[in-house]
Amino acid sequence: MADKVTIATVAAHANVSRQTVSNVLNTPHLVREETRERVREAIAVLGYRANQAARLMRTGRSHLLAVRIEPTRDGINGSVLDRFLHGLTEAAAPAGYRILLYAAADDQAEIATYDDLLATYELDGFVLTSTHHGDVRTSWLAERGVPFVTFGRPWGRLGADARTEPAALSGAAGSHPWVDVDNAAGTAAATRHLLDAGHRRIGFIGWPEGSGVGDERRAGWAATAGADLPELARATVDGVAEGEAAAHDLLSISDPPTALVCASDSLAAGAYGVAPPGVAVTGFDDTAVARVLGLTSVAQPLAEAAARCVDLLAGVLDGGAAPHPVLLPPSLVIRQSA
Amino acid sequence: MADKVTIATVAAHANVSRQTVSNVLNTPHLVREETRERVREAIAVLGYRANQAARLMRTGRSHLLAVRIEPTRDGINGSVLDRFLHGLTEAAAPAGYRILLYAAADDQAEIATYDDLLATYELDGFVLTSTHHGDVRTSWLAERGVPFVTFGRPWGRLGADARTEPAALSGAAGSHPWVDVDNAAGTAAATRHLLDAGHRRIGFIGWPEGSGVGDERRAGWAATAGADLPELARATVDGVAEGEAAAHDLLSISDPPTALVCASDSLAAGAYGVAPPGVAVTGFDDTAVARVLGLTSVAQPLAEAAARCVDLLAGVLDGGAAPHPVLLPPSLVIRQSA
DNA sequence: TTGTACGCGTTATCAT
DNA sequence: ATGATAACGCGTACAA
């Protein structure tokens, strides 16, 4: 095991002061070309890498970003977080950041964790997922000036539509940097696909009102599907059994729908299981379950979303500029279910 | 935002020196009871938390553990890693450790990442997953004396059976701490369940020889299933389509099997799709896909495995004792497919 | 380009 | 046995 190579080792090797080595790394233009090269060679030869702890003590920058890892609920949508985490990790590395994981049972526990992580590890920033109406986490972080990005737009007060709220979309005061996938566009694309296939009565199975994401997904369907909307929509908590029940219910009305747009692959899996042949079903998230069942599903560009989260956070941290929010388009993966 | 609370703040508040505060935290028996209480109260009142960076510089201990996040292959088994990561994060926190993520394309890149993480963040240890025969990562770490645990036993040279290798099981010299799930016991349980249900010809669909885990799973089936084994087994790379093909093949032989034990839920999903009614199928990993399809599947105790990984690593780090390997029993989750 | 102080907690040494 | 003082680790900010 080679001895520890510090900035002093490099300085000695290159016959300069420690400070000059630091300058070569951080403000190279201040160092004469010839010296710079000599130092760089010493760095390469010795395999020197700056110690983050020492750097942190001076600069207050840990180059660490934290993200919460949630427990996999029914596991169907769990892989979404998994892919997002992988994208985050891959995008962070070239930008000079690492990803730290934390778990928290609820928002309050999560805030306590922020406090702890900031105090002990001086985290540079947070990536929040699963944002919701009246999220206390964002206000806590904002109040303290802690940099963060959310994957999921700020939902503000209950019932407000972000697309009609200039403040949220522009990232103006009171808001914060965010990256989101256009959920409404996703269900709209699925609905359009069904219309193109000749379906005229298209139902929707989603979640109870109040979850921003769920409301968006329903809105995309509603804006595209046509008339008679309320009677063609059912709301339920997420789950396969719940999807079965809702589909059963919807298909039992007079003049039933011939196609069902679902807010998740869990619901779609249930619906697809009870739907008679000819009734089309679409899901959301393009999970492994959708692939195996042959469910047409809306795919979120998770790697891209993660990369943009890192971009935004790095922008705040390095540039200081308030970055523009990012709204990414989903895509429809067509399989045999629709 | 409250001012930063350092050890000096606490010392001033409690009317002692900084050193005494440090002693209260690290060697409390050296401090008089009354003083100790006063300091502890100051710590609580001020909400003091030691700065890890400063501590690290002195002690060389970052309290950071790293684990690789792999890209989700077909997504079906991806949730396994997800659950493991969550377990790791939850188990690490109370032990005073945090989990750092990294991505790497292959073993060589992973080793380069070790080098970087050790040099820049002074990681305390690594948790390795997906160990395989002749793993260069473990030897690299072992040579440098870097603490690590593997989820998956050391496979040693190709073809060696860890259960017959005392060195591997005992954690003796040349080995390293590991946690594993008894894969053979898992497929054995599935096979026994099928025997109990009256099946007499039980086939197996697994992976090509050489992957330690795959060989274990086959061995569990072979030891339990009975006669005519070679003709009842098929090997293929993992995947739903591959499972379909292998099942189709196995069910086409003369005197075909009436039940199929599969090495993964992906293979089982494929097999279940083409198997005629009455042919039982079991999978491995109890993924969401198994739940949705109603596949009987072997479940790994991932949270437990993760917790034991942390235990072992913490043991090495804090105690210095060479810990015993851990072999956990899987459980069979019975659904309608078998 | 260089010298020097600094950040913060711990270890070593010294005084009571 | 307690507590205080000083030095240390490593990279950077600032002044020289």
Side-chain angles (χ1 to χ4, degrees), chain A residues 62-103:
Chain A
S62 63
H63 295 272
L64 247 31
L65 307 179
V67 62
R68 171 178 169 190
I69 181 162
E70 301 174 53
T72 17
R73 283 168 297 248
D74 63 358
I76 294 180
N77 300 314
S79 65
V80 171
L81 177 63
D82 194 53
R83 286 183 281 166
F84 183 71
L85 280 183
H86 188 265
L88 222 44
T89 307
E90 286 220 309
Y97 292 93
R98 298 281 174 187
I99 303 292
L100 197 70
L101 246 34
Y102 64 91

Side-chain angles (χ1 to χ4, degrees), chain B residues 7 18-19 48 55 58:
Chain B
I7 212 169
R18 296 186 332 182
Q19 177 50 32
Y48 166 80
R55 167 181 288 188
R58 208 52 203 149

Side-chain angles (χ1 to χ4, degrees), chain A residues 285-301:
Chain A
D285 273 344
D286 189 32
T287 61
V289 168
R291 256 192 313 288
V292 168
L293 293 179
L295 278 176
T296 292
S297 189
V298 177
Q300 301 197 44

Side-chain angles (χ1 to χ4, degrees), chain B residues 259-287:
Chain B
L260 297 171
V261 171
C262 301
S264 75
D265 278 352
S266 304
L267 293 172
Y272 195 47
V274 301
V279 172
V281 175
T282 70
F284 210 114
D285 272 346
D286 189 31
T287 62

Side-chain angles (χ1 to χ4, degrees), chain B residues 153 163 180-195 202 204 213-225 260-265 281-286 296-301 327-334 338:
Chain B
R153 76 193 69 183
R163 286 169 311 161
D180 202 3
V181 170
D182 193 337
N183 285 281
T187 42
T191 308
R192 207 172 310 116
H193 173 69
L194 294 168
L195 286 172
I202 301 173
F204 178 79
V213 171
D215 297 346
E216 283 277 307
R217 292 185 186 177
R218 181 185 158 130
W221 158 77
T224 316
L260 297 171
V261 171
C262 301
S264 75
D265 278 352
V281 175
T282 70
F284 210 114
D285 272 346
D286 189 31
T296 291
S297 189
V298 177
Q300 302 196 45
L327 189 60
L328 299 170
S331 59
L332 188 66
V333 179
I334 294 166

